[in-house]
Amino acid sequence: MAQDAGVRCVQQQLSTAGFNPGPLDGIPGRATRQAMRNFFALHGQAVPTNLTGNNGMVLCRQIGLLDTSLQIHWPARRTPVIATASAGVDRITEGAVYGAAHKALSRISAWYGFEIPMPVQVVVADNARDLERMLLDRADGNLNDLRAQADYHCSAPGGISGLAYFDLLGICIRRGASVSGNLDVRDLNLVVAHEVTHAVQAQLVGHAPWYRDLSSHIGHRGPLWLTEGSATFISEMLNWNDVGIDEIAESLHGDLLTGDWPVLSDLALRQDTEEETRQLYHGGSFAVASMISPTEAAIPNLLGYYEDIGLGATWEEAFEARFGQSPATFYANFALLGPEDKGEAVDQK
């Protein structure tokens, strides 16, 4: 098994706490698992899930939550964001991407109480070839459909687009664009915050098994409308600290009125057409806005859903626990609420 930074984080914390995890090698062996059992038993708990190379980051966080003095060993405490840019990206724009990522992580931690143990890696490029190369250089496994994804995101309208492979993020900026010239800083902040939210989701939920193609299989983290809808909604909240859930929901509702009302269950996987993709993001984010209450617990539940999965729940179990209804019930209720009634329903929440 390849060395895993999350498992090494677990081992470092256990070693510091006085338990012997064996070599700090990133391999979840017998000594590491026994040390975990002893640590959790000391705190009156059973180990929440079996340690593997996929969920090391999840369990690293759980150990730090039980003994906060160990959080000093979280790599993210030393370097929250690692940003690298290709030669074509000017340093001011590179710095703006770094700043946007750092701000998003800081606000998620301060506002919603979710701090992640591992740094977020961000690469910034102004062409598909450099973006592909930089992502491959930093990946610890195969990246599905990377060439097509790089081509797509580097030709997207608007001058900036982003993609996430778990907690490895790619930002592509149109060649010649710069925040000191023709690149909208608000667009940059929203795109970066969206991808950073994906990185937080990934660290909470753990890495998906390598054989899962998430464009054709729902996978263990749940439907794509929820993953993308959560990231879209949270990125809006991170960049509009004076705007509430209801106001964002009203704006999203207006976006949906320009087309057919989405069938949410059809938006579980990656979409093919431009209209389907629009429904995925707009429909997903409005669905998220309609199923959470405008309270302080709203965003923590959106992130806690992923942590529940990382600790062993199925996505259906986590959905019902966090949002108070089964996915099937939510799909049925969403379908019954047409565009004419939906805004009023959200207002009543």
Side-chain angles (χ1 to χ4, degrees), residues 43 56 58 68 92 106 151 157 168 199 210 216-217 230 254 261 316 326:
H43 291 274
V58 180
T68 56
I92 296 176
S106 297
D151 287 341
L168 173 60
W210 66 269
S216 59
H217 192 292
S230 296
W261 191 255
E316 294 92 344
S326 69

Side-chain angles (χ1 to χ4, degrees), residues 96-153:
V97 171
Y98 174 87
H102 199 286
K103 180 181 74 173
L105 281 174
S106 297
R107 287 185 170 180
I108 286 173
S109 175
W111 294 359
Y112 309 133
F114 278 87
E115 187 174 357
I116 54 177
M118 307 303 297
V120 171
Q121 290 193 72
V122 186
V123 301
V124 191
D126 66 344
N127 64 87
R129 179 175 295 181
D130 281 349
L131 184 66
E132 180 184 20
R133 172 184 55 79
M134 295 168 72
L135 288 170
L136 283 174
D137 286 347
R138 289 156 181 80
D140 56 5
N142 293 328
L143 302 181
N144 288 327
D145 202 26
L146 176 57
R147 171 60 61 87
Q149 289 293 322
D151 287 341
Y152 172 80
H153 285 282

Side-chain angles (χ1 to χ4, degrees), residues 159-312:
I160 182 169
S161 185
L163 69 161
Y165 284 98
F166 303 108
D167 53 344
L168 173 60
L169 311 181
I171 304 294
C172 201
I173 294 171
R174 185 180 62 247
R175 193 183 296 272
S178 169
V179 294
S180 59
N182 55 355
L183 188 62
D184 189 286
V185 175
R186 170 165 162 76
D187 288 345
L188 182 146
N189 288 337
L190 282 171
V191 167
V192 173
H194 183 104
E195 303 308 330
V196 164
T197 303
H198 281 324
V200 175
Q201 292 169 339
Q203 291 206 23
L204 294 173
V205 80
H207 287 151
W210 66 269
Y211 54 84
R212 292 281 176 85
D213 179 356
L214 298 182
S215 65
S216 59
H217 192 292
I218 289 181
H220 73 313
R221 70 175 61 187
L224 195 60
W225 68 262
L226 180 52
T227 298
E228 295 294 356
S230 296
T232 300
F233 188 81
I234 291 174
S235 66
E236 291 282 354
M237 294 295 292
L238 294 175
N239 284 282
W240 290 102
N241 59 351
D242 57 344
V243 174
I245 290 173
D246 288 341
E247 294 164 289
I248 293 178
E250 183 178 351
S251 173
L252 294 167
H253 177 248
D255 292 334
L256 287 178
L257 293 179
T258 60
D260 294 332
W261 191 255
V263 178
L264 210 56
S265 57
D266 290 343
L267 303 177
L269 304 173
R270 186 69 61 188
Q271 304 301 301
D272 295 324
T273 69
E274 183 176 341
E275 173 58 21
E276 289 171 337
T277 299
R278 187 190 74 83
Q279 285 201 337
L280 170 67
Y281 284 85
H282 289 252
S285 53
F286 185 66
V288 164
S290 70
M291 73 187 186
I292 62 178
S293 299
T295 67
E296 292 182 0
I299 306 301
N301 271 337
L302 287 177
L303 296 173
Y305 160 85
Y306 292 96
E307 188 166 43
D308 291 349
I309 297 170
L311 295 175

Side-chain angles (χ1 to χ4, degrees), residues 26-37:
I27 300 174
R30 181 180 302 175
T32 300
R33 292 191 175 96
Q34 183 60 53
M36 282 187 58
R37 286 192 290 270

